[in-house]
């Protein structure tokens, strides 16, 4: 049995994790901005992927990034490729699914930073960017790490959005066209290849649980370091 | 040698702060009951709290002038602030805490200067240790060293010794007294301790309900009140 589906899923999840960590940290910081209009609505929109059916999200992404959309045309002009039914589409799908989890974790991390420490940094001559880089983010690191790990695990397990946006078979980096692990398990099960479905399911579960376990340990160690 | 001159007014709900004072170089102690506006006053001087109307200047340097639309950002005001909880950065060791305020000092000189400051306050041996390992008195000394690292034009101390025992307080009060003699800048020191006022103050401002109700030499102001402020 080829493990390419798992490798593809790990590639997608790794890139989605990195993108959602950067975008999610930006959104979490934006939500701390005192003058943000209707913050509750912004929060609801960012959290929507947690409650919307994956097919609904997938539909929105298809409309927003399809070959006839502004985003789709712009991406094609820039790279010569489409977003939909490609590796990029799978990354976008996984990123959208994991973003709310990342934002929530980063927000918890940011809220754990004592305001007095930020004030102290300012009185010591640090401008907003230096305060962010040298005090806020290092002290919020447990939240960022937890968010990255949760985002990775969520991206690894995505099925519905990926199926809608990227289709069943995708070409990964250095891989032949194959299915992500989540879709592979379904296809194998439906195709009566139960052993292959079972093996992939077990290994994917082990990888996912291991990542969450490591995330918990790392986060705890950070908090205990004070 | 520049005076601190300020005129500040802010209204927040039931509380109103309305003060107009001048603090010459040396130690000005601010006393008054809890909730009288002492810490708020320090925060407004630093630019950490907004005021409705006001002006803050150190010598000819105007940091805030609401009427003229002048407001120098906190990080551009050359001041040192020792917070009530000290606010040492927990992820940095003592040396890096002190170096944090030295970003305009050439990199090669920072470590040497920071070590000298730690030595000056008697905690050079803590240079490589993080704040969670410090005792109360050690943390206070590191916080003072960090505050001095900016070569400030104004020093603000917000009850920095409140959590210490009497002996440590006496040691650190003596240290601040020495530093005041060296720095020759206005030091505004908020305290509840009459003993600290007697040892440190060149001038005392007594605040109540957001207004200065007495000012003058320590002996004159303290004569009017009991030991409990």
């Amino acid at each position: 049995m080829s493990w390419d589906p798992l490798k593809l899923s790990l590639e997608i999840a790794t890139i989605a994790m990195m993108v959602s960590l950067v975008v999610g940290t930006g959104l979490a910081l934006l939500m701390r901005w005192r003058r943000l209009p209707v913050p509750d609505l912004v929060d609801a929109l960012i959290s929507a992927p947690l409650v919307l059916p994956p097919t609904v999200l997938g539909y929105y992404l298809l409309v927003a990034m399809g070959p006839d959309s502004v985003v789709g045309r712009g991406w094609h002009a820039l790279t010569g490729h489409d977003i939909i039914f490609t590796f990029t589409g799978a990354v976008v799908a996984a990123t959208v699914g994991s973003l709310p989890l990342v934002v929530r974790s980063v927000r918890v991390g940011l809220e754990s930073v004592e305001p007095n420490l930020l004030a102290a940094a300012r009185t010591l001559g640090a401008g907003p960017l230096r305060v962010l880089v040298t005090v806020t983010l290092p002290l919020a690191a447990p939240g960022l790490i937890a968010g990255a790990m949760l985002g990775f695990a969520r991206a690894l397990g995505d099925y519905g959005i990926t199926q809608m946006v990227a289709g069943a078979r995708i070409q990964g980096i250095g891989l032949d066209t194959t299915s992500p692990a989540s879709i592979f398990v379904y296809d194998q099960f439906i195709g009566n290849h139960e052993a292959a479905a079972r093996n992939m399911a077990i290994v994917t579960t082990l990888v996912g649980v291991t990542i969450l376990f490591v995330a918990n340990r790392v986060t705890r160690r950070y908090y205990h370091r004070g | 040698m520049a005076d601190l001159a300020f005129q500040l007014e802010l209204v927040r709900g039931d509380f109103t702060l309305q003060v107009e004072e001048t603090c010459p170089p040396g130690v000005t102690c601010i006393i008054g009951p809890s909730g009288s506006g002492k810490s708020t006053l320090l925060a407004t001087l630093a630019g950490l709290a907004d005021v409705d109307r006001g002006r803050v200047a150190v010598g000819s340097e105007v940091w805030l002038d609401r009427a003229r639309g002048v407001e120098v950002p906190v990080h551009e005001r050359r001041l040192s602030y020792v917070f009530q909880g000290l606010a040492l950065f927990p992820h940095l060791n003592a040396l890096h805490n002190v170096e944090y305020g030295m970003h305009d000092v050439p990199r090669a000189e920072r470590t040497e200067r920071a070590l000298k400051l730690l030595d000056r306050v008697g905690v050079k041996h803590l240079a490589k240790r993080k704040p969670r390992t410090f005792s109360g008195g050690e943390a206070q000394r590191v916080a003072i060293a960090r505050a001095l690292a900016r070569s400030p034009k104004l020093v603000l101390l917000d009850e920095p010794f409140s959590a210490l025992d009497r002996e440590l307080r006496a040691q650190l009060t003596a240290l601040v007294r020495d530093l005041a003699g060296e720095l020759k800048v206005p030091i505004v020191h908020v305290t509840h301790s009459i003993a600290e006022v007697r040892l440190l103050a060149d001038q005392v401002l007594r605040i109540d309900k957001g207004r200065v109700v007495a000012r003058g030499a320590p002996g004159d102001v303290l004569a009017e009140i009991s030991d409990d402020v």
Side-chain angles (χ1 to χ4, degrees):
Chain A
M1 190 182 99
S2 166
W3 293 106
D4 279 0
L6 182 60
K7 287 183 201 161
L8 175 66
S9 286
L10 290 171
E11 281 179 0
I12 293 168
T14 304
I15 298 172
M17 175 194 76
M18 291 191 284
V19 175
S20 58
L21 186 60
V22 173
V23 176
T25 302
L27 288 172
L29 288 167
L30 180 73
M31 292 178 75
R32 282 170 62 87
W33 186 39
R34 276 182 301 172
R35 291 176 209 157
L36 181 73
V38 279
D40 290 341
L41 179 62
V42 175
D43 190 9
L45 287 171
I46 291 171
S47 303
L50 292 174
V51 294
L52 290 178
T55 45
V56 172
L57 280 173
Y59 169 76
Y60 288 140
L61 290 176
L62 280 174
V63 172
M65 305 186 309
D68 297 328
S69 69
V70 175
V71 176
R73 282 201 302 262
W75 183 260
H76 196 278
L78 211 64
T79 65
H81 300 287
D82 288 333
I83 300 175
I84 300 303
F85 301 121
T86 64
F87 181 78
T88 308
V91 169
V92 172
T95 302
V96 168
S98 57
L99 201 56
L101 295 172
V102 176
V103 172
R104 278 168 185 264
S105 288
V106 174
R107 282 180 73 185
V108 171
L110 292 174
E111 278 160 18
S112 71
V113 180
E114 275 182 51
N116 253 8
L117 295 174
L118 307 181
R122 292 167 70 199
T123 64
L124 289 164
L129 185 63
R130 186 162 172 247
V131 174
L132 176 70
V133 172
T134 59
V135 180
T136 310
L137 293 181
L139 292 176
L144 269 71
I145 293 168
M149 293 300 172
L150 281 173
F152 181 89
R154 172 68 183 78
L156 189 68
D158 186 65
Y159 175 84
I161 316 176
T162 303
Q163 178 76 286
M164 286 281 286
V165 176
R169 297 187 70 79
I170 308 158
Q171 178 145 26
I173 301 167
L175 296 172
D176 290 333
T177 302
T178 186
S179 310
S182 56
I183 295 173
F184 178 86
V185 171
Y186 178 77
D187 288 347
Q188 295 300 308
F189 188 76
I190 291 295
N192 243 355
H193 305 294
E194 202 173 331
R198 184 186 58 229
N199 292 343
M200 186 63 74
I202 290 170
V203 173
T204 305
T205 305
L206 285 174
V207 171
V209 170
T210 304
I211 287 163
L212 289 175
F213 173 72
V214 171
N216 285 339
R217 292 298 292 263
V218 169
T219 307
R220 188 168 302 153
R221 189 173 299 174
Y222 247 97
Y223 275 119
H224 283 260
R225 277 172 61 186
Chain B
M1 297 235 293
D3 289 358
L4 162 71
F6 56 91
Q7 177 261 313
L8 297 163
E9 195 178 321
L10 92 129
V11 180
R12 297 288 179 271
D14 293 341
F15 176 75
T16 301
L17 178 73
Q18 197 168 25
V19 286
E20 183 171 359
E21 293 296 331
T22 299
C23 300
V27 180
T28 298
C29 281
I30 300 187
I31 58 173
S34 296
S36 59
K38 304 185 298 294
S39 294
T40 305
L41 172 59
L42 288 203
T44 54
L45 290 174
L48 292 169
D50 284 336
V51 289
D52 302 322
R53 276 178 286 281
R55 189 174 189 279
V56 176
V58 179
S60 59
E61 232 176 80
V62 178
W63 287 351
L64 175 79
D65 191 338
R66 271 272 179 270
R68 295 185 180 182
V70 176
E71 185 163 6
V72 176
V74 179
H75 65 278
E76 289 175 16
R77 301 181 185 198
R78 200 152 197 99
L79 59 86
S80 294
Y81 199 135
V82 179
F83 291 79
Q84 211 165 357
L86 302 181
L88 290 172
F89 303 125
H91 59 305
L92 302 180
N93 64 30
L95 183 66
H96 291 152
N97 260 283
V98 176
E99 284 182 350
Y100 194 91
M102 295 181 169
H103 59 102
D104 51 355
V105 174
R107 195 171 284 273
E109 294 173 29
R110 277 183 212 167
T111 304
E112 192 189 336
R113 281 181 61 173
L115 284 171
K116 268 188 192 164
L117 280 169
L118 286 170
D119 196 27
R120 173 69 188 83
V121 297
V123 286
K124 190 179 174 186
H125 60 288
L126 301 176
K128 297 289 179 194
R129 281 169 46 187
K130 288 192 179 172
R132 69 178 184 279
T133 67
F134 301 165
S135 68
E138 288 171 341
Q140 307 279 353
R141 288 171 188 269
V142 174
I144 290 170
R146 184 177 73 170
L148 299 177
R150 290 202 79 195
S151 309
K153 293 183 174 175
L154 169 66
V155 176
L156 304 171
L157 306 173
D158 190 2
E159 298 188 60
F161 311 143
S162 56
L164 300 180
D165 62 41
R166 187 177 292 187
E167 194 179 328
L168 268 176
R169 282 172 90 130
Q171 286 175 18
L172 289 166
T173 303
L175 176 64
V176 171
R177 183 71 263 174
D178 291 348
L179 292 171
E182 294 167 24
L183 286 171
K184 296 182 171 44
V185 299
I187 297 176
V188 182
H189 178 58
V190 168
T191 182
H192 278 284
S193 162
I194 294 296
E196 269 175 44
V197 175
R198 288 191 202 286
L199 286 166
L200 272 179
D202 297 302
Q203 176 186 222
V204 181
L205 300 178
R206 187 171 154 234
I207 292 188
D208 195 13
K209 293 176 184 157
R211 289 167 200 272
V212 175
V213 292
R215 68 176 64 75
D220 299 338
V221 176
L222 295 179
E224 300 170 15
I225 56 174
S226 69
D227 276 359
D228 182 19
V229 289

